[in-house]
């Protein structure tokens, strides 16, 4: 066991969460309450999933329902990070377009069986990766379009289509969403030993097997994230994902 589940662990987690929220407040980062709420939510949600996972993995209908729930929560979270208006649901497209082909390929090739104990964590990792880059890429693209509105108008004056003018401004900022994943992949084994690698070792796998699984996770994540960023950028450029005048004025 990597960490013992006891009162000491709970106390350490509480201190770390309080420290994170306190530092955010002292530095006026404006996220202290969100940090505290996120930590508490994570504890409650993981406790609930830990109790329910035993039933989910034994039933295909429950397994599929759980996967749909994961996707729905990811879409809502990413979409609301990008915009508060009704266009947030478009965030579902880049997440699905990134994750579904990879999961389908894994199932069709037999690399991942239709079993909850395997499918849930693999799909969860991919959905989580797509969620993060969709949210950050969409926000960065819209932020840049607001700040550099004059450049978009200049592009229109030169004869560019609205989509093309927006892409010229938003492409580079949106692509920055992929940097954490790229850095993790480039430095794996040298700076960090990610969770899949450590988990496989603790489960009794050989270092070679653990390394192969971790490599698969990292490469699959890059594929998912590239597709998600490309699509969220396209949605922003075409005006499908946008912000209302009230949001832009904040």
């Amino acid at each position: 066991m990597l960490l013992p589940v006891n009162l000491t662990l709970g106390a350490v987690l509480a201190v770390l969460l309080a420290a994170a929220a306190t530092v955010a407040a002292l530095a006026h980062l404006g996220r202290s309450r969100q940090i505290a709420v996120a930590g508490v939510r994570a504890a409650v949600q993981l406790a609930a999933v830990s109790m329910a996972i035993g039933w989910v993995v034994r039933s295909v209908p429950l397994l599929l329902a759980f996967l749909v729930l994961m996707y729905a929560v990811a879409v809502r979270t990413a979409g609301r990070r990008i915009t508060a208006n009704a266009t947030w649901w478009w965030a579902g497209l880049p997440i699905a377009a990134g994750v579904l082909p990879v999961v389908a390929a894994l199932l069709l090739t037999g690399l991942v069986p239709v079993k909850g104990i395997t499918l849930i964590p693999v799909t969860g990792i991919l959905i989580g990766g797509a969620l993060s880059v969709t949210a950050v890429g969409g926000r960065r693209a819209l932020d840049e379009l607001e700040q550099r509105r004059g450049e978009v108008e200049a592009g229109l004056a030169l004869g560019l289509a609205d989509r093309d003018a927006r892409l010229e401004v938003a492409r580079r900022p949106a692509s920055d969403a992929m940097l954490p994943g790229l850095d993790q992949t480039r430095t794996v084994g040298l700076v960090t030993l990610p969770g899949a690698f450590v988990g496989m070792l603790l489960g009794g796998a050989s270092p070679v097997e653990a390394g192969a699984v971790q490599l698969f996770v990292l490469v699959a994540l890059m594929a998912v994230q590239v597709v998600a960023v490309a699509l969220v950028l396209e949605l922003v450029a075409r005006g499908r994902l946008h912000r209302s005048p009230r949001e832009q004025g904040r």
Side-chain angles (χ1 to χ4, degrees):
M1 183 180 295
L2 182 61
L3 290 174
V5 182
N6 53 30
L7 291 177
T8 301
L9 176 61
V12 170
L13 288 173
V15 170
L16 289 174
L17 182 59
T22 301
V23 171
L26 293 175
H28 303 288
L29 300 179
R31 303 285 185 182
S32 56
R33 184 177 181 277
Q34 293 181 33
I35 290 171
V37 171
V40 174
R41 280 189 59 174
V44 173
Q45 289 164 190
L46 285 172
V49 169
S50 299
M51 290 185 290
I53 199 73
W55 293 292
V56 172
V57 298
R58 291 195 294 265
S59 169
V60 173
L62 286 178
L63 169 60
L64 295 177
F66 190 78
L67 293 177
V68 170
L69 175 63
M70 292 168 62
Y71 170 72
V73 172
V75 172
R76 175 78 176 183
T77 302
R80 285 303 189 182
R81 281 294 183 195
I82 297 170
T83 179
N85 63 37
T87 64
W88 65 265
W89 65 269
W90 279 101
L93 182 58
I95 294 175
V99 173
L100 286 178
V102 175
V103 173
L106 294 174
L107 293 174
L108 291 174
T109 57
L111 288 174
V112 172
V114 188
K115 294 181 180 179
I117 200 63
T118 303
L119 190 57
I120 287 175
V122 170
T123 306
I125 290 172
L126 299 179
I127 291 177
L131 183 163
S132 63
V133 297
T134 298
V136 175
R139 282 177 65 93
R140 289 285 290 115
L142 287 175
D143 288 345
E144 204 73 8
L145 289 173
E146 291 174 20
Q147 296 168 11
R148 298 166 60 186
R149 190 175 307 164
E151 294 180 41
V152 176
E153 293 175 354
L156 295 174
L158 291 173
L160 290 178
D162 188 56
R163 168 187 173 274
D164 296 333
R166 288 168 171 262
L167 283 175
E168 288 297 319
V169 170
R171 182 179 285 113
R172 182 63 180 271
S175 69
D176 286 348
M178 296 185 295
L179 290 179
L182 288 172
D183 289 342
Q184 183 182 31
T185 303
R186 290 174 60 188
T187 61
V188 66
L190 299 176
V191 177
T192 61
L193 292 178
F197 182 84
V198 175
M200 290 287 292
L201 289 179
L202 292 175
S206 70
V208 173
E209 292 172 329
V213 170
Q214 185 60 66
L215 179 61
F216 151 71
V217 169
L218 292 172
V219 173
L221 267 176
M222 281 199 299
V224 167
Q225 292 180 338
V226 167
V227 173
V229 169
L231 272 178
V232 77
L233 174 61
E234 187 68 28
L235 290 170
V236 169
R238 292 178 178 273
R240 298 293 188 270
L241 269 169
H242 60 80
R243 290 176 181 158
S244 63
R246 180 181 300 178
E247 292 177 276
Q248 293 175 4
R250 288 187 304 185

